[in-house]
Amino acid sequence: WGNHQQVNVPQQLPDHDYLDDLEPLGWLHTQPNETGGLSEKDIQMHSGILERQESWDGERCIVVTCSFTPGSVSLTAYKLTPQGYEWGRGQNKDGGRGGGGSGGEPQPGSFEKVQMLLSDRFMGYFMVPEIGSWNYNFMGVKASPNMSWNIKLDNPKEFYNPLHRPTHFLEFSGSGAEGKLSQADVEDHLA
């Protein structure tokens, strides 16, 4: 769950046999425009993941920002410097209130751009939560940092799939508009 400024993920990362021989590369943050660097929240999140997950190497794991600008998409990769990692850890311990040892804003040099190579030579696959829904945008109260989840090999459901928004359809059943609902299924209203 999240928005364009902040992403939240469960503290427990997925575990599966297919992941045993793979190395984590990092995570992707989509945003509506380019910011010129990592946000404070991105630094905090990345340093928190690096601190909690032994399999994540701070020198190799990156944050990729995917910015959707009019007419284009920009991808930029960043890694934290030791200074940025320590700042993020301090903020996480302080709850992000700014008293985490090194002040309220990250210092210049907290991250650096890294080279990213895009290639069609590598093939991959999707792994999705076993429950089927990956999109908590419509059910944010069900998402929690302490939730546990398992994954399976499958194609992800589309963003607006009914599986992601079960309460949306329950609202129709209790609205008292059953007569109008039967008309909603008519394909051609002029027939």
Side-chain angles (χ1 to χ4, degrees):
W1 73 105
N3 57 36
H4 69 280
Q5 296 174 330
Q6 180 176 346
V7 180
N8 297 288
V9 296
Q11 292 180 0
Q12 175 214 344
L13 294 180
D15 186 29
H16 194 279
D17 292 342
Y18 288 164
L19 302 176
D20 286 344
D21 296 330
L22 299 178
E23 175 184 350
L25 298 177
W27 60 282
L28 176 76
H29 185 183
T30 58
Q31 53 194 22
N33 52 20
E34 247 179 306
T35 59
L38 290 179
S39 71
E40 295 174 23
K41 294 291 185 183
D42 288 344
I43 293 172
Q44 284 180 251
M45 181 172 159
H46 194 58
S47 62
I49 293 173
L50 292 173
E51 186 173 18
R52 286 189 306 274
Q53 306 300 326
E54 293 178 10
S55 61
W56 285 52
D57 178 2
E59 285 297 312
R60 299 172 63 114
C61 289
I62 60 172
V63 179
V64 175
T65 58
C66 178
S67 306
F68 297 97
T69 55
S72 69
V73 175
S74 299
L75 298 173
T76 310
Y78 301 95
K79 78 171 190 170
L80 292 183
T81 61
Q83 174 186 352
Y85 172 70
E86 289 302 324
W87 181 87
R89 282 186 58 212
Q91 292 298 303
N92 289 335
K93 288 182 178 166
D94 188 43
R97 290 186 296 276
S102 56
E105 291 190 23
Q107 300 298 313
S110 294
F111 56 86
E112 57 189 40
K113 285 186 180 182
V114 294
Q115 183 179 12
M116 177 175 41
L117 174 66
L118 300 177
S119 172
D120 60 354
R121 298 187 70 152
F122 301 102
M123 302 296 279
Y125 52 87
F126 292 103
M127 299 199 79
V128 299
E130 278 186 349
I131 59 170
S133 178
W134 56 265
N135 183 357
Y136 282 86
N137 191 49
F138 302 107
M139 15 179 213
V141 295
K142 291 187 176 184
S144 162
N146 298 320
M147 65 191 284
S148 62
W149 50 298
N150 295 316
I151 54 176
K152 64 181 180 177
L153 190 63
D154 199 1
N155 288 326
K157 305 279 185 220
E158 63 275 7
F159 187 84
Y160 287 107
N161 188 288
L163 186 63
H164 301 310
R165 47 195 181 120
T167 56
H168 175 83
F169 298 101
L170 291 175
E171 290 174 9
F172 285 117
S173 65
S175 68
E178 284 79 17
K180 293 179 183 176
L181 288 177
S182 65
Q183 295 173 359
D185 290 334
V186 176
E187 297 269 337
D188 184 0
H189 296 287
L190 301 175

